[in-house]
Amino acid sequence: MSNDQFKLNIDGRDIDVPRHYTLMQACEAAGAEIPRFCYHERLSVAGNCRMCLVEWQGAPKPIASCAQTVGEMRPNPDGTAPVIRTQGDYVEKARSGVMEFLLINHPLDCPICDQGGECDLQDQAVAYGRSGSRYDLNKRAVEDKNMGPLVKTIMTRCIQCTRCVRFAAEVAGVEELGMISRGESAEITTYLEHSLTSELSGNVIDLCPVGALTSKPYAYNARPWELRKTTSIDVMDAMGSAIRVDAKGNAVMRILPTVNEEVNEEWLSDKSRFVWDGLARQRLDTPYVRRDGRLSPASWGEAFVAVKDALSGRPEAIGFIAGDLVEVEQAKAGLDLARRLAVQNTDCRPAGAAYGVDGPREQYLLNSSFMAVEEADALILIGCNPRQDAAVWNARIRKAWLWNDLKVHLIGDPVDLTYDYDHLGTGPEGLAALDTLSGASRPMIVVGEDVLLRPDGQAILAAAHAAALNIGAIQDGWAGFGVLHNAAGRVGALDVGFVPGPGGLDTAGMLSGKLDTLVLMGGDELDLSGLGTTKVIYIGHHGDAGAARADIILPCAAYTEMSATYVNTEGRVQMTRAAVEPKGEAREGWAIFRAMSDSLGHTLPYDTADALREGLRAERPHFAGLGFAPAEAGVEALRAPMAGTGTPDLAVPFGARRGDFYLTNPIARASKTMAECSLQHRGLETAVAAE
């Protein structure tokens, strides 16, 4: 046995485990099941619930296995391995005693508790609870707390496991929760009765092992056994977090995170978790055609007649723009139709962007991957705010800063990133300071997409890439350079080539009013005020800015209503899964373009989504690697200097962040919950002071 291994005898079985293991981990490695309430794999050890007690032969009392490090245990007097028992009368009695204390004041709320059916305390009480209580004293009651529009509190149920406190302090990086008083008077509370402000606050609902913290929007909507559970991916940002969509009938009831160690671990941002009520509001469920200045409901046949008339003009006067939430299949079908119509005016980028037209795809990917930040020793953020653009990744950066001594540097507006950083400047002048970071062995440079929308955006990207080459951010086995996108559909649309063709207009050019007809695939974040008399064909799922300006509306499915491909900012190809049916007469985006091509006499060569994907994989083989992030595979592509246009304008700072984190897309803007979060974030909520 090596020096870093330790031998134990657990339930009669000899096992070797690393010395840094806790006794709980060792017992689970031996196949034992250990109950717990306070312990969580991603949080520090508290050791305060005592439910994980085991017997250490020779010890005077039961041992809390979560807090006992294996390497600190001593062998038996005869030199044999310590003997641990996780079962038997001794252990059962100890755990039963702990359970009895936990339940002294716990209310009998199971029939009406939203946690019922998913409650750790309920499950363990079946195994270790008594049939009755021996305590007839007055029960303790705790006043409920106001934690904002997301987290519902019934604090009398709280067992003081402190998971929520540790999550807020260690993962979210905002110390907004704590325990006050002692003994029977102890309770968890927010400071001065303020609402939670972290963009990750909803994760305390998953962490709570009882019904003290539950989802306020989901309250009393459904029971867990009534729900259909569908694994999918999130599209509220460009991370592609793994999620589970729970539906009842044809309505989404809630969205929860699932474990993906490479992307979101097991966390989820509040926008991704609570946006589900927006999926049922302001939906487009039937085609519309503008007649006599008013949008009127129409059949699909009538809508396609109007579309044929709108697209019968000169190809130079027609444009296609793909929005932030467009799926790969819709982007591919839309681009194919545009090219069959000889239209070169196609773009999927925000106005002002120039990247992605030529060069390898690695020039617009986050090549280093989200997980790689834990291996980096220096992170340089250029004009981006991970806390808004990729909230869950911001928590991983904080973890690396907290435990791995990661040094973070920022060029751009000073912002609260939940960790310390060295501010190198507010604009392109800060790029000159990057050469001083050449001492890092694995540096990572991340450029925000907003920076690339400036007139000198390509020059900034080229300068950042040159700095990455100079300081060793691009080396064998390490591709520490990339772009952090903030829209789920951006990279996938770029991958299929949804950029201007030869002589074609970009987004800004198409929005200037030069076109006769514009096909708007989403695109609700664009400034449509300059379109003038341009006829707009809008393909989307919500009645937002694009639909308000449209002359023809073709309703399409949202991300929870179809199996569709997205590519996240790492270049990882992922797929959503249909949890519910599309609303009304809405259809999947690719199917709309397939039917449209028939009516225009330019039939697309695929009849099913699978056939479309097969053709896409033949054209671009990386689409065959589902769930795979290229990461270091892009090193060779990044070693060549990047072509830039001009030089960065040193006199112009990067400027303030754009938009409201909670209202970045049509689904979020249709959500009542997101509207409440936005009001709270802007300080429009009335605060309640502590008495």
Side-chain angles (χ1 to χ4, degrees):
M1 184 177 65
S2 63
N3 290 334
D4 63 344
Q5 296 286 304
F6 193 87
K7 183 181 288 294
L8 291 168
N9 182 285
I10 300 176
D11 293 334
R13 175 187 173 190
D14 288 332
I15 183 173
D16 293 333
V17 297
R19 302 181 71 88
H20 67 268
Y21 266 29
T22 63
L23 186 52
M24 176 184 287
Q25 291 174 303
C27 291
E28 291 185 335
E33 183 176 342
I34 308 296
R36 82 291 299 273
F37 294 120
C38 68
Y39 177 80
H40 190 277
E41 293 82 356
R42 302 185 196 276
L43 304 176
S44 60
V45 173
N48 56 0
C49 80
R50 320 310 283 183
M51 196 65 208
C52 63
L53 294 175
V54 298
E55 179 185 2
W56 178 3
Q57 183 175 301
K61 60 182 180 179
I63 300 298
S65 59
C66 71
Q68 177 63 58
T69 305
V70 165
E72 296 175 353
M73 299 176 69
R74 65 179 186 278
N76 292 325
D78 59 359
T80 58
V83 176
I84 305 297
R85 298 188 183 93
T86 67
Q87 300 173 352
D89 292 341
Y90 183 87
V91 174
E92 297 285 334
K93 183 178 180 181
R95 293 176 182 169
S96 180
V98 171
M99 177 60 69
E100 188 173 14
F101 278 115
L102 289 175
L103 295 178
I104 287 175
N105 294 301
H106 198 79
L108 299 176
D109 279 352
C110 293
I112 62 162
C113 178
D114 268 338
Q115 201 85 330
E118 297 176 314
C119 176
D120 295 345
L121 182 64
Q122 189 179 50
D123 295 341
Q124 297 303 331
V126 172
Y128 301 105
R130 298 172 60 90
S131 60
S133 174
R134 294 185 288 178
Y135 294 87
D136 56 4
L137 301 175
N138 291 334
K139 303 300 181 183
R140 169 180 180 262
V142 181
E143 184 179 354
D144 296 340
K145 308 297 187 294
N146 176 23
M147 293 191 181
L150 304 180
V151 181
K152 175 187 174 185
T153 64
I154 302 183
M155 301 309 292
T156 299
R157 299 172 184 164
C158 180
I159 61 172
Q160 284 85 45
C161 71
T162 69
R163 280 186 181 183
C164 56
V165 176
R166 285 174 284 149
F167 172 83
E170 298 167 13
V171 179
V174 288
E175 297 188 0
E176 296 178 333
L177 287 169
M179 179 182 286
I180 60 173
S181 302
R182 302 177 62 186
E184 190 181 57
S185 300
E187 58 181 283
I188 304 293
T189 183
T190 56
Y191 296 116
L192 297 177
E193 293 287 340
H194 276 299
S195 300
L196 298 178
T197 60
S198 170
E199 60 287 337
L200 298 173
S201 64
N203 291 286
V204 301
I205 297 168
D206 297 337
L207 289 171
C208 184
V210 296
L213 305 177
T214 56
S215 171
K216 188 174 286 187
Y218 171 71
Y220 307 121
N221 277 343
R223 285 298 195 179
W225 54 84
E226 299 177 296
L227 303 175
R228 297 190 314 276
K229 301 170 177 62
T230 307
T231 57
S232 187
I233 62 160
D234 171 57
V235 300
M236 292 298 110
D237 54 33
M239 285 191 66
S241 299
I243 61 172
R244 191 186 85 196
V245 181
D246 288 357
K248 180 180 179 182
N250 203 37
V252 175
M253 291 284 102
R254 64 178 179 179
I255 295 174
L256 300 175
T258 57
V259 177
N260 186 332
E261 295 293 350
E262 296 184 10
V263 181
N264 61 306
E265 299 180 282
E266 64 183 72
W267 313 126
L268 195 61
S269 79
D270 289 347
K271 180 167 61 176
S272 303
R273 180 188 295 267
F274 295 105
V275 78
W276 53 266
D277 67 320
L279 291 165
R281 298 173 184 271
Q282 296 180 222
R283 289 302 301 270
L284 301 174
D285 57 2
T286 191
Y288 287 84
V289 176
R290 191 175 294 276
R291 302 185 180 101
D292 299 325
R294 296 175 63 87
L295 285 170
S296 304
S299 68
W300 277 102
E302 292 171 334
F304 283 141
V305 169
V307 167
K308 183 177 181 180
D309 179 65
L311 295 179
S312 61
R314 298 176 299 110
E316 298 81 12
I318 299 172
F320 287 64
I321 296 180
D324 290 357
L325 300 182
V326 67
E327 68 277 14
V328 169
E329 289 83 355
Q330 183 180 167
K332 167 69 173 167
L335 183 65
D336 287 349
L337 180 59
R339 295 296 183 257
R340 282 174 178 259
L341 296 173
V343 173
Q344 302 298 329
N345 305 321
T346 55
D347 206 352
C348 65
R349 305 161 302 174
Y355 59 86
V357 176
D358 51 21
R361 70 192 291 255
E362 285 77 10
Q363 292 186 0
Y364 56 77
L365 297 181
L366 184 70
N367 299 280
S368 49
S369 82
F370 295 125
M371 191 166 57
V373 75
E374 297 184 37
E375 303 174 30
D377 53 357
L379 172 65
I380 301 97
L381 301 171
I382 301 176
C384 65
N385 180 353
R387 189 169 178 183
Q388 286 194 7
D389 296 339
V392 177
W393 189 48
N394 190 68
R396 197 190 285 262
I397 296 173
R398 174 176 167 78
K399 180 170 73 169
W401 169 80
L402 199 61
W403 302 109
N404 299 350
D405 198 29
L406 173 69
K407 306 298 183 185
V408 183
H409 309 272
L410 175 70
I411 301 175
D413 271 8
V415 289
D416 180 10
L417 293 177
T418 71
Y419 39 81
D420 296 335
Y421 58 83
D422 181 20
H423 190 224
L424 301 180
T426 58
E429 80 285 350
L431 295 171
L434 297 186
D435 292 335
T436 64
L437 306 177
S438 56
S441 60
R442 284 201 162 190
M444 182 187 296
I445 294 179
V446 177
V447 183
E449 185 182 26
D450 284 356
V451 169
L452 305 183
L453 309 185
R454 294 163 45 115
D456 59 347
Q458 276 298 95
I460 292 173
L461 186 63
H465 178 260
L469 291 171
N470 290 338
I471 67 174
I474 301 170
Q475 54 183 282
D476 290 340
W478 183 254
F481 173 80
V483 176
L484 181 63
H485 291 274
N486 46 40
R490 190 87 70 233
V491 173
L494 288 169
D495 279 352
V496 302
F498 209 108
V499 292
L505 298 174
D506 62 7
T507 298
M510 285 186 275
L511 294 177
S512 64
K514 299 177 181 178
L515 301 180
D516 294 336
T517 303
L518 176 64
V519 179
L520 199 57
M521 303 153 61
D524 296 278
E525 278 61 59
L526 303 172
D527 181 4
L528 306 178
S529 61
L531 285 177
T533 59
T534 300
K535 181 170 287 189
V536 175
I537 301 171
Y538 177 77
I539 301 172
H541 38 73
H542 277 75
D544 205 80
R549 176 58 183 81
D551 297 283
I552 303 168
I553 295 176
L554 306 178
C556 71
Y559 73 106
T560 55
E561 300 161 4
M562 58 182 173
S563 296
T565 307
Y566 285 87
V567 185
N568 78 348
T569 192
E570 303 169 291
R572 186 188 305 268
V573 180
Q574 303 171 296
M575 284 199 72
T576 64
R577 300 284 181 226
V580 293
E581 294 294 321
K583 304 297 182 187
E585 297 182 47
R587 299 292 183 265
E588 294 186 23
W590 75 268
I592 293 174
F593 280 106
R594 172 62 178 79
M596 190 188 300
S597 70
D598 261 350
S599 69
L600 294 170
H602 294 276
T603 304
L604 296 176
Y606 33 77
D607 296 322
T608 65
D610 286 339
L612 184 156
R613 295 181 193 117
E614 191 64 34
L616 184 59
R617 287 192 287 267
E619 294 176 14
R620 295 172 172 80
H622 69 266
F623 276 102
L626 195 64
F628 170 73
E632 288 78 19
V635 171
E636 290 304 318
L638 288 171
R639 280 187 164 143
M642 188 182 298
T645 303
T647 58
D649 187 346
L650 302 182
V652 181
F654 288 149
R657 299 293 304 159
R658 65 176 180 87
D660 186 323
F661 170 75
Y662 296 102
L663 305 175
T664 55
N665 60 63
I667 304 175
R669 287 190 289 272
S671 166
K672 178 182 177 182
T673 304
M674 291 298 99
E676 291 174 352
C677 289
S678 176
L679 289 174
Q680 174 190 289
H681 182 70
R682 287 182 283 152
L684 301 181
E685 179 194 56
T686 303
V688 180
E691 294 182 1

